Amino acid sequence: MINYHPDQHLLSLHAKGELPLSMSIAISAHAEFCQHCQQQLDQMTIALSEQQFEQADAKNTAAFEKHGEFDDLLSQFLSSTLDTLDTDVRLANNSTSQPESTDNSVTIKGQHYALPRVFKKQINASWQGIGKVSRLRLDTGEPQARASLLHIAANGEIPDHTHKGSELTLLLAGEFSDCYNTYKPGDFMLLDQDHEHSPKTTEGCLCYTIVDAPLYFTKGISKLLNPIGDLLY
Amino acid sequence: MENVQSQSAQTRYDKGHLAQRSSNQRNGAMKSDEPNPLADELAQLMMQVANNRCKTSFAKLFSHFAPKINSFGVQRLSQQGLAMDLVQETMSRVWTKAHLYNADKAAVSTWVFTVMRNQCFDMLRKVQHNREDAFGDDIWPLFESDDAENNDDDFLLSASLLQHVEELPPLQRQVVQGIYMQELTQQELADKLNIPIGTVKSRLRLGLEKLKSFMEKHYD
Ligand SMILES: [Zn+2]
């Protein structure tokens, strides 16, 4: 039984595609464990798509200001792009390129773990660590957040620590406890900087974590980062 | 003073050639059993594109979706040029992935929204982090058959299904039988039939989809 879930706000930003990659991975992985959140995400996506595509949009001025551009793009599709796309697909099917790896598993200290689908492109790096604690850094390309897989071997613990920003922990396998509670696979815990905790595990565990991300997670990217601003400054 | 020309363009692109849902229909939008003429029409057009590569149907889908994708792109990517790129990329995928669309799993609007959002996510990463890593479809599965390989194993376990293998077109039947009855790997089958493995995969997918639709027809 999963007891800890992302809140409505995070789920709704995720359905819109407005969270950074590190957090999108966490919500997507949680939803693979959690039918309840998956259903909410599906409902939100349906509602968003109806709002975007099935309602008359009174303020859609682009529709007539840019009708020439749409016409041009459509003509281009019909006269050549569609045929080119079909040719490309046929060539891709005929080439003997190696099939995309579908191995979503990691092995650490003799333990083999199958991971949620969303990790499949991310797990090529190597493990690093001391003692019972090992870490595999994921390269999300986000300077604001550090995302990793964290493995704690049986009877291990992480020393007391606080965080500068928030810390997200998604338990993927095994169990751990801190002074607040005991956690099960799928549990999604977002702690702010004032929490102090020292997780311990008796049977060992594997988590996905994101740390040191002041204010980074919980706002939509489009609000937090102006893509054009990012290029200019 | 109304501008006649822009009014007609508005009509054409805001409505496409398709009916909008009326507001009282919209209020009950979550109920899937309610009649929804727009959704049905979009589904018909998708079928035409998927099965017959029908460009006229694609043009109608384009007229309906393109301006709306553009307005999503303008909000999200805050740049006109990128918004048009989003229209182009999304509509290209509608064309190339049409055969993966499954009307039982999602409305066309929801499927196109998913394709668009995933594409937009990847474009934003490119702009913000200079990354070309295309995570969108891993994060949000497309309500369709990209993960069909896992699900299909389950439904293939039902013996009733295999009764329908004989009804498949010969090329698809050959592949389905090879994989599931002779238990060859896709590579072994490709070598044996002297066809590329991609062709094995696509015939297998088409065959499984057809089997699924036989099942639904017979057992619904
Ligand atoms: Zn949940």
Side-chain angles (χ1 to χ4, degrees):
Chain A
M1 180 73 188
I2 299 171
N3 288 316
Y4 299 87
H5 306 265
D7 64 18
Q8 290 291 314
H9 177 64
L10 276 178
L11 287 177
S12 121
L13 287 172
H14 182 68
K16 292 177 187 161
E18 291 200 0
L19 292 171
L21 176 62
S22 53
M23 196 57 161
S24 303
I25 287 174
I27 310 259
S28 174
H30 172 80
E32 267 192 66
F33 286 97
C34 179
Q35 198 63 29
H36 176 72
C37 287
Q38 184 59 57
Q39 278 166 4
Q40 289 195 68
L41 286 169
D42 289 348
Q43 289 304 314
M44 287 170 174
T45 306
I46 290 169
L48 287 166
S49 68
E50 288 179 347
Q51 194 184 332
Q52 189 73 34
F53 289 143
E54 296 189 16
Q55 294 180 14
D57 182 357
K59 51 183 200 290
N60 187 1
T61 48
F64 61 87
E65 279 169 8
K66 298 178 63 176
H67 66 275
E69 276 187 64
F70 291 125
D71 278 344
D72 291 349
L73 184 55
L74 179 56
S75 315
Q76 194 189 321
F77 264 115
L78 295 176
S79 63
S80 65
T81 311
L82 296 182
D83 293 330
T84 310
L85 288 168
D86 280 344
T87 311
D88 291 348
V89 168
R90 227 171 293 135
L91 288 176
N93 282 344
N94 286 335
S95 76
T96 46
S97 60
Q98 75 282 21
E100 201 181 324
S101 163
T102 49
D103 182 18
N104 295 352
S105 62
V106 292
T107 301
I108 170 74
K109 301 210 165 130
Q111 298 268 14
H112 189 73
Y113 297 99
L115 296 177
R117 176 199 64 246
V118 69
F119 289 104
K120 79 178 171 202
K121 286 203 190 110
Q122 283 277 4
I123 46 185
N124 301 319
S126 56
W127 290 91
Q128 298 183 317
I130 318 168
K132 291 179 184 289
V133 180
S134 317
R135 192 179 281 279
L136 185 158
R137 276 287 299 279
L138 304 183
D139 177 20
T140 61
E142 295 164 351
Q144 302 90 333
R146 285 182 297 141
S148 333
L149 294 174
L150 182 70
H151 180 261
I152 311 177
N155 299 314
E157 72 180 290
I158 296 198
D160 271 348
H161 66 292
T162 53
H163 340 98
K164 266 190 256 153
S166 324
E167 179 183 79
L168 177 278
T169 307
L170 173 68
L171 184 55
L172 298 170
E175 52 69 44
F176 76 84
S177 320
D178 60 16
C179 52
Y180 306 105
N181 238 315
T182 295
Y183 305 96
K184 301 267 163 48
D187 273 335
F188 180 104
M189 285 117 348
L190 190 52
L191 297 180
D192 65 26
Q193 57 187 3
D194 300 326
H195 279 85
E196 201 175 301
H197 69 150
S198 52
K200 296 181 189 28
T201 175
T202 43
E203 63 176 81
C205 69
L206 181 71
C207 306
Y208 172 64
T209 66
I210 322 174
V211 290
D212 250 359
L215 295 179
Y216 181 58
F217 297 143
T218 48
K219 293 189 175 175
I221 6 182
S222 55
K223 290 187 194 92
L224 197 62
L225 300 169
N226 174 344
I228 306 310
D230 242 27
L231 288 179
L232 291 178
Y233 304 114
Chain B
M1 179 78 196
E2 286 282 340
N3 178 323
V4 174
Q5 195 183 348
S6 64
Q7 196 180 23
S8 71
Q10 170 95 52
T11 307
R12 182 160 169 212
Y13 278 112
D14 214 6
K15 298 194 169 143
H17 303 286
L18 309 175
Q20 295 292 335
R21 309 181 68 173
S22 69
S23 58
N24 56 351
Q25 276 176 328
R26 215 180 298 143
N27 293 336
M30 304 304 265
K31 291 187 208 116
S32 59
D33 52 350
E34 123 200 27
N36 180 347
L38 172 61
D40 292 345
E41 193 176 351
L42 292 172
Q44 282 301 320
L45 294 170
M46 278 299 290
M47 290 295 288
Q48 285 298 319
V49 170
N51 298 339
N52 305 323
R53 310 311 278 149
C54 172
K55 291 183 179 174
T56 313
S57 299
F58 177 84
K60 288 183 182 164
L61 289 171
F62 184 95
S63 299
H64 177 73
F65 283 111
K68 294 164 188 287
I69 295 170
N70 182 71
S71 74
F72 181 91
V74 169
Q75 281 170 30
R76 201 62 71 87
L77 299 160
S78 21
Q79 202 186 60
Q80 285 293 332
L82 288 175
M84 279 312 261
D85 285 353
L86 182 64
V87 174
Q88 164 136 22
E89 292 299 326
T90 304
M91 292 311 296
S92 295
R93 278 163 182 74
V94 167
W95 178 257
T96 53
K97 288 172 178 266
H99 62 285
L100 296 172
Y101 170 68
N102 181 340
D104 297 331
K105 291 200 182 164
V108 176
S109 297
T110 307
W111 186 75
V112 175
F113 181 86
T114 304
V115 172
M116 170 186 77
R117 174 197 52 201
N118 297 4
Q119 191 55 36
C120 187
F121 184 85
D122 292 337
M123 284 174 68
L124 265 173
R125 279 187 54 77
K126 198 166 154 185
V127 174
Q128 292 177 341
H129 300 296
N130 200 22
R131 291 295 178 112
E132 306 240 12
D133 43 16
F135 278 102
D137 290 347
D138 287 338
I139 295 170
W140 299 276
L142 288 179
F143 284 103
E144 38 134 275
S145 43
D146 270 350
D147 47 303
E149 286 178 31
N150 309 326
N151 302 334
D152 289 336
D153 286 340
D154 293 338
F155 89 82
L156 270 167
L157 291 176
S158 75
S160 58
L161 184 75
L162 295 174
Q163 294 166 6
H164 299 288
V165 170
E166 294 298 324
E167 299 168 55
L168 290 174
L171 291 176
Q172 293 167 19
R173 188 175 67 217
Q174 194 179 33
V175 170
V176 171
Q177 285 175 332
I179 301 278
Y180 289 102
M181 294 174 174
Q182 299 160 32
E183 300 191 345
L184 298 171
T185 65
Q186 297 187 351
Q187 188 61 57
E188 285 166 350
L189 194 59
D191 294 341
K192 186 173 163 227
L193 300 175
N194 199 22
I195 53 176
I197 191 163
T199 309
V200 171
K201 283 180 199 294
S202 60
R203 285 182 191 167
L204 181 62
R205 200 191 54 239
L206 289 171
L208 292 176
E209 275 165 8
K210 205 158 286 172
L211 283 177
K212 227 177 196 167
S213 73
F214 288 153
M215 292 286 286
E216 279 150 10
K217 225 179 284 165
H218 287 263
Y219 299 98
D220 257 2

